[in-house]
mmCIF file of all heavy atoms in Angstrom:
data_model
loop_
_atom_site.group_PDB
_atom_site.id
_atom_site.type_symbol
_atom_site.label_atom_id
_atom_site.label_comp_id
_atom_site.label_asym_id
_atom_site.label_seq_id
_atom_site.Cartn_x
_atom_site.Cartn_y
_atom_site.Cartn_z
ATOM 1 N N THR A 1 81.901 182.736 50.787
ATOM 2 C CA THR A 1 81.897 183.064 52.213
ATOM 3 C C THR A 1 81.179 181.971 52.983
ATOM 4 O O THR A 1 80.195 181.415 52.531
ATOM 5 C CB THR A 1 81.195 184.406 52.480
ATOM 6 O OG1 THR A 1 79.863 184.330 51.999
ATOM 7 C CG2 THR A 1 81.917 185.551 51.826
ATOM 8 N N VAL A 2 81.721 181.697 54.160
ATOM 9 C CA VAL A 2 81.100 180.772 55.104
ATOM 10 C C VAL A 2 81.183 181.435 56.464
ATOM 11 O O VAL A 2 82.284 181.722 56.951
ATOM 12 C CB VAL A 2 81.814 179.411 55.132
ATOM 13 C CG1 VAL A 2 81.217 178.509 56.201
ATOM 14 C CG2 VAL A 2 81.761 178.749 53.768
ATOM 15 N N ALA A 3 80.035 181.726 57.049
ATOM 16 C CA ALA A 3 79.962 182.349 58.379
ATOM 17 C C ALA A 3 80.810 183.620 58.453
ATOM 18 O O ALA A 3 81.620 183.793 59.353
ATOM 19 C CB ALA A 3 80.376 181.361 59.460
ATOM 20 N N ARG A 4 80.634 184.488 57.484
ATOM 21 C CA ARG A 4 81.298 185.799 57.413
ATOM 22 C C ARG A 4 82.807 185.704 57.199
ATOM 23 O O ARG A 4 83.518 186.683 57.323
ATOM 24 C CB ARG A 4 80.981 186.634 58.649
ATOM 25 C CG ARG A 4 79.515 186.970 58.760
ATOM 26 C CD ARG A 4 79.174 187.695 60.001
ATOM 27 N NE ARG A 4 80.034 188.832 60.199
ATOM 28 C CZ ARG A 4 79.851 189.736 61.140
ATOM 29 N NH1 ARG A 4 78.832 189.623 61.949
ATOM 30 N NH2 ARG A 4 80.675 190.736 61.280
ATOM 31 N N LYS A 5 83.325 184.521 56.859
ATOM 32 C CA LYS A 5 84.739 184.347 56.545
ATOM 33 C C LYS A 5 84.851 184.169 55.043
ATOM 34 O O LYS A 5 84.144 183.364 54.440
ATOM 35 C CB LYS A 5 85.281 183.114 57.278
ATOM 36 C CG LYS A 5 86.667 182.694 56.867
ATOM 37 C CD LYS A 5 87.714 183.492 57.595
ATOM 38 C CE LYS A 5 89.085 182.891 57.358
ATOM 39 N NZ LYS A 5 89.893 183.651 56.464
ATOM 40 N N LYS A 6 85.735 184.940 54.413
ATOM 41 C CA LYS A 6 85.887 184.910 52.970
ATOM 42 C C LYS A 6 87.023 183.948 52.588
ATOM 43 O O LYS A 6 88.111 184.001 53.149
ATOM 44 C CB LYS A 6 86.205 186.304 52.442
ATOM 45 C CG LYS A 6 86.180 186.395 50.923
ATOM 46 C CD LYS A 6 86.664 187.730 50.398
ATOM 47 C CE LYS A 6 85.730 188.853 50.719
ATOM 48 N NZ LYS A 6 86.133 190.117 50.081
ATOM 49 N N TYR A 7 86.743 183.081 51.613
ATOM 50 C CA TYR A 7 87.735 182.142 51.085
ATOM 51 C C TYR A 7 87.932 182.428 49.607
ATOM 52 O O TYR A 7 87.016 182.862 48.921
ATOM 53 C CB TYR A 7 87.258 180.699 51.271
ATOM 54 C CG TYR A 7 87.095 180.297 52.707
ATOM 55 C CD1 TYR A 7 85.865 180.428 53.345
ATOM 56 C CD2 TYR A 7 88.166 179.792 53.428
ATOM 57 C CE1 TYR A 7 85.703 180.063 54.669
ATOM 58 C CE2 TYR A 7 88.020 179.420 54.756
ATOM 59 C CZ TYR A 7 86.785 179.561 55.369
ATOM 60 O OH TYR A 7 86.630 179.205 56.679
ATOM 61 N N ARG A 8 89.149 182.129 49.104
ATOM 62 C CA ARG A 8 89.466 182.381 47.697
ATOM 63 C C ARG A 8 90.222 181.192 47.127
ATOM 64 O O ARG A 8 91.012 180.563 47.829
ATOM 65 C CB ARG A 8 90.340 183.628 47.562
ATOM 66 C CG ARG A 8 89.676 184.893 48.043
ATOM 67 C CD ARG A 8 90.659 186.049 47.955
ATOM 68 N NE ARG A 8 90.099 187.247 48.512
ATOM 69 C CZ ARG A 8 90.254 187.651 49.764
ATOM 70 N NH1 ARG A 8 90.980 186.932 50.593
ATOM 71 N NH2 ARG A 8 89.701 188.758 50.190
ATOM 72 N N CYS A 9 89.980 180.928 45.842
ATOM 73 C CA CYS A 9 90.660 179.828 45.167
ATOM 74 C C CYS A 9 90.977 180.282 43.743
ATOM 75 O O CYS A 9 90.086 180.709 43.003
ATOM 76 C CB CYS A 9 89.752 178.597 45.164
ATOM 77 S SG CYS A 9 90.478 177.169 44.377
ATOM 78 N N HIS A 10 92.246 180.176 43.363
ATOM 79 C CA HIS A 10 92.688 180.575 42.024
ATOM 80 C C HIS A 10 92.085 179.646 40.982
ATOM 81 O O HIS A 10 92.032 178.425 41.171
ATOM 82 C CB HIS A 10 94.222 180.526 41.957
ATOM 83 C CG HIS A 10 94.757 180.676 40.572
ATOM 84 N ND1 HIS A 10 94.760 181.874 39.908
ATOM 85 C CD2 HIS A 10 95.291 179.762 39.732
ATOM 86 C CE1 HIS A 10 95.292 181.702 38.698
ATOM 87 N NE2 HIS A 10 95.627 180.422 38.570
ATOM 88 N N ILE A 11 91.625 180.221 39.877
ATOM 89 C CA ILE A 11 91.107 179.429 38.759
ATOM 90 C C ILE A 11 92.245 179.241 37.767
ATOM 91 O O ILE A 11 92.716 180.214 37.170
ATOM 92 C CB ILE A 11 89.908 180.132 38.084
ATOM 93 C CG1 ILE A 11 88.779 180.334 39.094
ATOM 94 C CG2 ILE A 11 89.435 179.324 36.887
ATOM 95 C CD1 ILE A 11 87.634 181.158 38.570
ATOM 96 N N PRO A 12 92.727 178.019 37.599
ATOM 97 C CA PRO A 12 93.851 177.805 36.687
ATOM 98 C C PRO A 12 93.440 177.996 35.232
ATOM 99 O O PRO A 12 92.277 177.882 34.881
ATOM 100 C CB PRO A 12 94.262 176.353 36.969
ATOM 101 C CG PRO A 12 93.070 175.713 37.543
ATOM 102 C CD PRO A 12 92.300 176.793 38.245
ATOM 103 N N GLY A 13 94.420 178.291 34.407
ATOM 104 C CA GLY A 13 94.154 178.469 32.982
ATOM 105 C C GLY A 13 94.907 179.654 32.409
ATOM 106 O O GLY A 13 94.724 180.016 31.265
ATOM 107 N N GLY A 14 95.743 180.279 33.205
ATOM 108 C CA GLY A 14 96.523 181.402 32.704
ATOM 109 C C GLY A 14 95.923 182.729 33.106
ATOM 110 O O GLY A 14 95.034 182.805 33.960
ATOM 111 N N ASN A 15 96.426 183.787 32.460
ATOM 112 C CA ASN A 15 95.955 185.130 32.825
ATOM 113 C C ASN A 15 94.554 185.372 32.290
ATOM 114 O O ASN A 15 93.996 184.558 31.563
ATOM 115 C CB ASN A 15 96.948 186.195 32.349
ATOM 116 C CG ASN A 15 97.110 186.202 30.843
ATOM 117 O OD1 ASN A 15 96.253 185.715 30.115
ATOM 118 N ND2 ASN A 15 98.218 186.748 30.376
ATOM 119 N N SER A 16 93.990 186.509 32.638
ATOM 120 C CA SER A 16 92.578 186.776 32.330
ATOM 121 C C SER A 16 92.297 186.994 30.851
ATOM 122 O O SER A 16 91.142 187.009 30.447
ATOM 123 C CB SER A 16 92.095 187.984 33.123
ATOM 124 O OG SER A 16 92.830 189.125 32.755
ATOM 125 N N SER A 17 93.335 187.132 30.031
ATOM 126 C CA SER A 17 93.105 187.269 28.589
ATOM 127 C C SER A 17 93.222 185.926 27.864
ATOM 128 O O SER A 17 92.926 185.844 26.677
ATOM 129 C CB SER A 17 94.095 188.274 27.987
ATOM 130 O OG SER A 17 95.422 187.817 28.165
ATOM 131 N N ASN A 18 93.612 184.879 28.567
ATOM 132 C CA ASN A 18 93.742 183.551 27.987
ATOM 133 C C ASN A 18 92.350 182.953 27.755
ATOM 134 O O ASN A 18 91.515 182.972 28.658
ATOM 135 C CB ASN A 18 94.555 182.673 28.937
ATOM 136 C CG ASN A 18 94.933 181.345 28.319
ATOM 137 O OD1 ASN A 18 94.269 180.840 27.427
ATOM 138 N ND2 ASN A 18 96.013 180.779 28.814
ATOM 139 N N PRO A 19 92.071 182.423 26.563
ATOM 140 C CA PRO A 19 90.748 181.853 26.286
ATOM 141 C C PRO A 19 90.365 180.711 27.232
ATOM 142 O O PRO A 19 89.191 180.570 27.587
ATOM 143 C CB PRO A 19 90.850 181.353 24.842
ATOM 144 C CG PRO A 19 91.975 182.109 24.247
ATOM 145 C CD PRO A 19 92.917 182.425 25.358
ATOM 146 N N LEU A 20 91.347 179.904 27.670
ATOM 147 C CA LEU A 20 91.046 178.811 28.589
ATOM 148 C C LEU A 20 90.582 179.352 29.945
ATOM 149 O O LEU A 20 89.611 178.849 30.522
ATOM 150 C CB LEU A 20 92.277 177.913 28.765
ATOM 151 C CG LEU A 20 92.107 176.729 29.717
ATOM 152 C CD1 LEU A 20 90.997 175.799 29.218
ATOM 153 C CD2 LEU A 20 93.416 175.981 29.866
ATOM 154 N N ALA A 21 91.249 180.397 30.430
ATOM 155 C CA ALA A 21 90.860 181.001 31.708
ATOM 156 C C ALA A 21 89.472 181.637 31.606
ATOM 157 O O ALA A 21 88.657 181.520 32.534
ATOM 158 C CB ALA A 21 91.888 182.036 32.135
ATOM 159 N N ILE A 22 89.189 182.281 30.489
ATOM 160 C CA ILE A 22 87.874 182.900 30.283
ATOM 161 C C ILE A 22 86.785 181.823 30.228
ATOM 162 O O ILE A 22 85.719 181.966 30.829
ATOM 163 C CB ILE A 22 87.873 183.765 29.003
ATOM 164 C CG1 ILE A 22 88.826 184.953 29.173
ATOM 165 C CG2 ILE A 22 86.469 184.229 28.655
ATOM 166 C CD1 ILE A 22 89.099 185.716 27.906
ATOM 167 N N TYR A 23 87.071 180.721 29.531
ATOM 168 C CA TYR A 23 86.101 179.629 29.444
ATOM 169 C C TYR A 23 85.821 179.042 30.823
ATOM 170 O O TYR A 23 84.667 178.804 31.181
ATOM 171 C CB TYR A 23 86.626 178.551 28.495
ATOM 172 C CG TYR A 23 85.778 177.317 28.486
ATOM 173 C CD1 TYR A 23 84.560 177.293 27.819
ATOM 174 C CD2 TYR A 23 86.177 176.169 29.162
ATOM 175 C CE1 TYR A 23 83.764 176.167 27.820
ATOM 176 C CE2 TYR A 23 85.395 175.039 29.174
ATOM 177 C CZ TYR A 23 84.187 175.036 28.498
ATOM 178 O OH TYR A 23 83.403 173.916 28.515
ATOM 179 N N ARG A 24 86.863 178.814 31.625
ATOM 180 C CA ARG A 24 86.678 178.250 32.958
ATOM 181 C C ARG A 24 85.939 179.221 33.879
ATOM 182 O O ARG A 24 85.119 178.807 34.705
ATOM 183 C CB ARG A 24 88.024 177.856 33.550
ATOM 184 C CG ARG A 24 88.596 176.628 32.863
ATOM 185 C CD ARG A 24 89.906 176.208 33.433
ATOM 186 N NE ARG A 24 90.355 174.960 32.830
ATOM 187 C CZ ARG A 24 91.537 174.430 33.010
ATOM 188 N NH1 ARG A 24 92.421 175.033 33.801
ATOM 189 N NH2 ARG A 24 91.865 173.300 32.433
ATOM 190 N N LYS A 25 86.224 180.505 33.737
ATOM 191 C CA LYS A 25 85.498 181.508 34.534
ATOM 192 C C LYS A 25 84.010 181.475 34.205
ATOM 193 O O LYS A 25 83.153 181.470 35.091
ATOM 194 C CB LYS A 25 86.060 182.907 34.281
ATOM 195 C CG LYS A 25 85.284 184.012 35.012
ATOM 196 C CD LYS A 25 85.624 185.375 34.487
ATOM 197 C CE LYS A 25 84.822 185.601 33.245
ATOM 198 N NZ LYS A 25 84.391 186.930 32.960
ATOM 199 N N GLN A 26 83.689 181.415 32.915
ATOM 200 C CA GLN A 26 82.284 181.366 32.497
ATOM 201 C C GLN A 26 81.610 180.074 32.961
ATOM 202 O O GLN A 26 80.436 180.072 33.335
ATOM 203 C CB GLN A 26 82.184 181.513 30.979
ATOM 204 C CG GLN A 26 82.571 182.882 30.489
ATOM 205 C CD GLN A 26 82.679 182.953 28.974
ATOM 206 O OE1 GLN A 26 82.702 181.940 28.290
ATOM 207 N NE2 GLN A 26 82.763 184.169 28.461
ATOM 208 N N ASP A 27 82.371 178.974 32.959
ATOM 209 C CA ASP A 27 81.840 177.703 33.426
ATOM 210 C C ASP A 27 81.493 177.768 34.919
ATOM 211 O O ASP A 27 80.441 177.307 35.349
ATOM 212 C CB ASP A 27 82.865 176.600 33.162
ATOM 213 C CG ASP A 27 82.292 175.214 33.319
ATOM 214 O OD1 ASP A 27 81.060 175.082 33.248
ATOM 215 O OD2 ASP A 27 83.078 174.272 33.515
#
């Protein structure tokens, strides 16, 4: 959030069960 405005950005690496996506999320 910046000044009460919410921003979102997709984390690449596949779906949430993919080990690469989990690793990037933890990073």
Side-chain angles (χ1 to χ4, degrees):
T1 59
V2 175
R4 296 176 51 172
K5 171 83 170 106
K6 188 187 292 186
Y7 297 93
R8 298 176 185 93
C9 181
H10 170 74
I11 300 173
N15 62 21
S16 62
S17 62
N18 189 334
L20 179 61
I22 295 169
Y23 173 76
R24 288 181 175 171
K25 176 194 81 147
Q26 292 171 347
D27 193 20

